[in-house]
Amino acid sequence: MSDALIEDPSPELCASKIFEISGTKLDPEVAADLWQKILQHKWLMSEKLGRDVGLRTACVDLLENMDQALREYMDYKRKDILVEMAAQRIGREKWDSISDSQPPKQLVQKRIILPLTEEDLSRKHGVTPPKTIIFFGPPGTGKTHFVKAIAGVLSWWYIEILPSMLMVDGVEKIGANLHTVMEKARNLEEAVIFIDEFEEIAASRDAATRIDKSITNEFLKQVPLLKNQGNKVLLVCATNYIRQLDAALLRPGRFDCIIPVGGLDEDGRRTILEQFLSRLNTENVDLNLIVKMTSRFTPADIEYLFQQVAQFAFEQEHARGQDYRVTTDTFIEILPNMRPSLTEETIEEFQKDSITYSRV
Ligand SMILES: Nc1ncnc2c1ncn2[C@@H]1O[C@H](COP(=O)(O)OP(=O)(O)O)[C@@H](O)[C@H]1O
Ligand SMILES: [Mg+2]
């Protein structure tokens, strides 16, 4: 889309242009707004007709069909933004495959999914559906997985923003890029915007450099703008290091929920182990034993374990030239070489953080 459409020409210039076209004098502010709409409509008509449409034609058409024209332009713009931001569709099976006992699934269902889907009931009881959320917890515990699953179960777009994407034009431009991204996000409908590694852009301003501070400040400006917009957009930020985030961001009013994502219980591990086992060539695997042997394993650790087992089975069959079945013994052979990511210390730290920072 041409930048000329997004540019903000001076009200005086717009007023004189509109006067030139229509012969009518308007208040400069009103003219500026109208002028922007005329330009947008000229662009839209030209796109649709495949030829350059004159200003006068666009102006007449806009005034005749104002509401429809504005809606159509927004739809066009939204499509552009979705492509630009690499929006993805996620199937609802991701949500269904998470064990009901795995925290924070039930919490997310109650605080996020239901208020967003049961709109009338929310309104009736004065429940405000959340718009801004933080997930925190040790690496590999499933934060990203949960965000994708939320987009899937809501049937909303999933848009991932990595700090590295905001840094493409150099660190000085992070704030400006964040501004642009959030402005685009505000125009979307039914989208989950996910900012991963949030501490990279929202670190504490005390410890931060001048540039970091300007980014956090930009974020503090953007959150209320997003929350005041009536569209269906959910901003989710994830971090492994909640302690590093700027305290100003964590104050009530900025993020609606701050949700811990921690280790798996036996049931949670069983569900994930079953899913991975179904992809292997197995025979007589004692699931209960493997559940016991994988205490403190994160979903990421379980995924790694299965990669190792799969590779092992593949090599065995390749070397021997006969069917190799993964059994309990295969796991007993491979598991001792693996260390779970969660240690007593990380679990203790996480529990402390959960008490200090959670807001659900
Ligand atoms: N409940 C789950 N069921 C199955 N796989 C999961 C689950 N949670 C996470 N995973 C997988 O484990 C890996 C790590 O999860 P991820 O969401 O990236 O963790 P985090 O974002 O907390 O670092 C990913 O490959 C993800 O697909
Ligand atoms: Mg992640």
Side-chain angles (χ1 to χ4, degrees):
M1 193 185 299
S2 153
D3 281 350
L5 298 177
I6 305 153
E7 254 175 41
D8 207 4
S10 81
E12 291 73 21
L13 181 72
C14 302
S16 71
K17 274 280 173 196
I18 290 183
F19 180 67
E20 202 182 290
I21 294 175
S22 65
T24 317
K25 278 213 165 191
L26 283 177
D27 173 67
E29 292 297 331
V30 175
D33 183 52
L34 193 56
W35 181 242
Q36 184 84 2
K37 289 183 176 130
I38 295 168
L39 287 180
Q40 289 169 358
H41 194 58
K42 173 175 156 30
W43 172 83
L44 183 65
M45 284 184 79
S46 305
E47 281 284 300
K48 279 185 5 191
L49 297 173
R51 62 178 166 78
D52 195 24
V53 170
L55 265 176
R56 203 171 289 270
T57 315
C59 194
V60 169
D61 194 71
L62 175 73
L63 294 175
E64 276 174 10
N65 313 291
M66 183 73 97
D67 286 351
Q68 195 198 339
L70 295 181
R71 240 190 341 265
E72 250 181 73
Y73 177 74
M74 273 318 293
D75 287 347
Y76 249 79
K77 201 165 151 185
R78 233 174 254 137
K79 274 187 214 150
D80 269 7
I81 295 173
L82 288 170
V83 172
E84 237 175 89
M85 297 180 96
Q88 299 171 44
R89 284 288 187 200
I90 311 274
R92 83 159 280 146
E93 64 283 354
K94 216 176 200 71
W95 176 260
D96 294 336
S97 72
I98 300 176
S99 158
D100 284 338
S101 73
Q102 185 183 334
K105 187 177 182 185
Q106 291 192 20
L107 179 75
V108 168
Q109 166 80 0
K110 206 170 57 178
R111 283 286 286 120
I112 303 172
I113 311 296
L114 288 178
L116 287 170
T117 47
E118 302 285 335
E119 290 174 80
D120 291 344
L121 197 59
S122 298
R123 221 171 288 122
K124 179 175 168 186
H125 290 284
V127 168
T128 312
K131 287 206 108 171
T132 50
I133 289 155
I134 295 182
F135 279 130
F136 73 92
T141 48
K143 297 178 290 297
T144 305
H145 195 80
F146 260 106
V147 185
K148 286 186 179 165
I150 292 171
V153 72
L154 290 172
S155 294
W156 288 13
W157 291 101
Y158 171 78
I159 296 172
E160 191 167 295
I161 297 161
L162 296 172
S164 56
M165 290 153 77
L166 300 172
M167 289 175 196
V168 285
D169 309 315
V171 275
E172 289 85 2
K173 293 280 167 59
I174 299 176
N177 285 345
L178 182 66
H179 180 96
T180 314
V181 162
M182 296 296 282
E183 202 165 56
K184 285 178 188 162
R186 287 203 299 278
N187 282 306
L188 293 176
E189 269 303 337
E190 305 202 329
V192 173
I193 315 285
F194 175 44
I195 304 186
D196 207 359
E197 294 160 28
F198 187 48
E199 73 285 348
E200 297 233 352
I201 59 164
S204 163
R205 283 174 295 179
D206 303 336
T209 65
R210 189 178 49 79
I211 292 165
D212 293 340
K213 280 182 201 172
S214 76
I215 300 161
T216 315
N217 287 336
E218 180 61 43
F219 207 87
L220 285 169
K221 267 190 259 163
Q222 291 297 331
V223 167
L225 293 177
L226 187 77
K227 291 181 85 164
N228 292 336
Q229 194 103 346
N231 57 343
K232 289 187 173 176
V233 167
L234 186 64
L235 173 73
V236 189
C237 301
T239 179
N240 299 335
Y241 309 100
I242 185 89
R243 292 174 192 195
Q244 290 181 11
L245 297 189
D246 196 305
L249 279 168
L250 300 174
R251 263 180 232 132
R254 271 79 198 245
F255 284 91
D256 301 315
C257 309
I258 302 180
I259 300 176
V261 185
L264 296 163
D265 64 2
E266 289 201 352
D267 202 43
R269 294 206 296 283
R270 182 174 289 108
T271 307
I272 299 179
L273 286 165
E274 269 172 348
Q275 287 163 22
F276 280 110
L277 272 173
S278 70
R279 296 181 214 158
L280 298 181
N281 187 35
T282 58
E283 187 176 78
N284 298 329
V285 175
D286 182 349
L287 182 61
N288 286 331
L289 182 69
I290 298 169
V291 168
K292 295 265 182 262
M293 290 177 80
T294 48
S295 123
R296 293 191 185 164
F297 274 52
T298 62
D301 295 332
I302 296 177
E303 189 169 48
Y304 182 62
L305 166 67
F306 275 80
Q307 277 167 12
Q308 299 296 103
V309 172
Q311 180 68 26
F312 180 82
F314 168 81
E315 285 173 13
Q316 290 295 316
E317 178 153 343
H318 188 258
R320 293 193 208 154
Q322 64 189 56
D323 184 37
Y324 179 87
R325 299 279 171 130
V326 171
T327 62
T328 310
D329 285 345
T330 319
F331 282 91
I332 291 174
E333 179 152 351
I334 289 177
L335 265 165
N337 305 324
M338 297 202 53
R339 295 271 161 279
S341 324
L342 297 177
T343 62
E344 201 142 328
E345 282 149 311
T346 50
I347 293 170
E348 204 176 301
E349 270 185 24
F350 172 71
Q351 280 165 349
K352 275 192 204 148
D353 288 350
S354 299
I355 295 167
T356 315
Y357 298 102
S358 296
R359 196 172 56 241
V360 296

